[in-house]
Amino acid sequence: MIEHRPFAALGGAHHGRLDAKHHFSFAEYHDPARMHWGALRVWNDDVIAPGTGFPPHPHADMEIVTYVREGAISHRDNLGNQGRTEAGDVQVMSAGRGIVHSEYNLEAVDTRIFQIWIMPERRGGDPSWGSKPFPKADRSGAFIALASGMDGDDQALPIRADARVLGATLKAGESADYPLGAERRGYLVLARGRAEVNGVGLQARDGAAIKDEALLRIVASEDAELILVDSRE
């Protein structure tokens, strides 16, 4: 089963400094049919204006993965962590029992991010933050794990969930396969380009909610950049 969720049909809000689209219920956007997908709770498609961002605010009991599509995001938290994550790279915040952080676009251009929240296996624990560059050549033509709590994903940023966040880039005409398997749910979003997943067509920033599909075959009709979350049901 693959449910196509067109970008134009997503919920969202415009806050001046922030133009946000929500794949799932979030803030003022509420849809009881889109509360989560397996362990995936939030997927926000955010455009943050230059010199603006989110002042210090708290989180707890959530794994928060930020994939930067364009520009860069600068992070600071009450643990003393700070860093700048550029386009194509990933940061992970395990909120644990509680963390206070800020995120700003300190660039001269818009910053575009996917912010992905995944429910942890257990509540509490020490909060943490990390960021890592991922060479773009490594994900050409195949999915690689960017953030993961699953066995074997030693090169990915760690999260405390039975889930992984993967990235791939495909040239027009190229394909990539991913074995989703039973009792798993997938959520695929195109950062750019056009592609089909098991015959279902997707355009840039569309989502696809997937279950009961043993194998995903993604075929690009244009150069495409893909982000996939594989999580427990």
Side-chain angles (χ1 to χ4, degrees), residues 43 65-70 85-91 112-116 134 136 139 146 165-169 191 225-227:
W43 192 311
V65 181
T66 303
Y67 181 82
V68 182
R69 296 168 48 223
E70 297 178 22
T85 304
E86 299 182 350
D89 297 336
V90 178
Q91 68 173 18
R112 301 173 185 269
I113 64 172
F114 289 150
Q115 190 168 97
I116 298 163
F134 288 89
K136 294 177 177 60
R139 59 193 117 143
L146 307 173
V165 180
L166 305 111
T169 59
E225 180 180 3
L226 319 165
I227 302 296

Side-chain angles (χ1 to χ4, degrees), residues 13-226:
H14 183 69
H15 303 287
R17 63 183 170 85
L18 172 67
D19 189 6
K21 290 290 188 178
H22 309 309
H23 287 260
F24 299 92
S25 287
F26 187 83
E28 292 82 12
Y29 168 63
H30 180 70
D31 183 343
R34 294 188 179 182
M35 294 304 297
H36 66 94
W37 190 252
L40 176 60
R41 173 61 188 87
V42 167
W43 192 311
N44 289 344
D45 182 328
D46 292 340
V47 182
I48 306 166
T52 69
F54 307 96
H57 58 282
H59 291 284
D61 295 316
M62 197 63 68
E63 304 298 296
I64 300 175
V65 181
T66 303
Y67 181 82
V68 182
R69 296 168 48 223
E70 297 178 22
I73 197 78
S74 294
H75 166 100
R76 185 185 297 268
D77 62 45
N78 63 331
L79 304 178
N81 297 309
Q82 55 183 310
R84 177 178 175 273
T85 304
E86 299 182 350
D89 297 336
V90 178
Q91 68 173 18
V92 168
M93 188 170 65
S94 291
R97 67 174 62 92
I99 190 170
V100 176
H101 81 125
S102 64
E103 287 183 316
Y104 285 98
N105 173 14
L106 302 180
E107 314 304 310
V109 297
D110 285 347
T111 286
R112 301 173 185 269
I113 64 172
F114 289 150
Q115 190 168 97
I116 298 163
W117 295 16
I118 299 171
M119 294 179 282
E121 290 293 291
R122 293 175 297 277
R123 297 173 65 88
D126 293 337
S128 64
W129 174 85
S131 179
K132 185 175 179 179
F134 288 89
K136 294 177 177 60
D138 291 353
R139 59 193 117 143
S140 178
F143 283 101
I144 67 162
L146 307 173
S148 177
M150 299 173 67
D151 292 341
D153 291 338
D154 298 334
Q155 300 304 308
L157 285 162
I159 57 175
R160 302 166 189 172
D162 183 4
R164 56 165 63 103
V165 180
L166 305 111
T169 59
L170 299 176
K171 297 292 187 183
E174 285 187 332
S175 65
D177 291 347
Y178 182 78
L180 187 63
E183 299 182 354
R184 306 293 295 180
R185 295 205 180 194
Y187 200 87
L188 177 71
V189 178
L190 266 65
R192 60 181 174 87
R194 291 174 182 257
E196 291 185 353
V197 52
N198 291 8
V200 176
L202 303 176
Q203 300 186 50
R205 301 164 79 183
D206 286 0
I210 306 163
K211 67 175 181 177
D212 301 326
E213 299 279 342
L215 180 72
L216 306 183
R217 170 155 291 177
I218 297 92
V219 181
S221 50
E222 297 177 356
D223 290 359
E225 180 180 3
L226 319 165

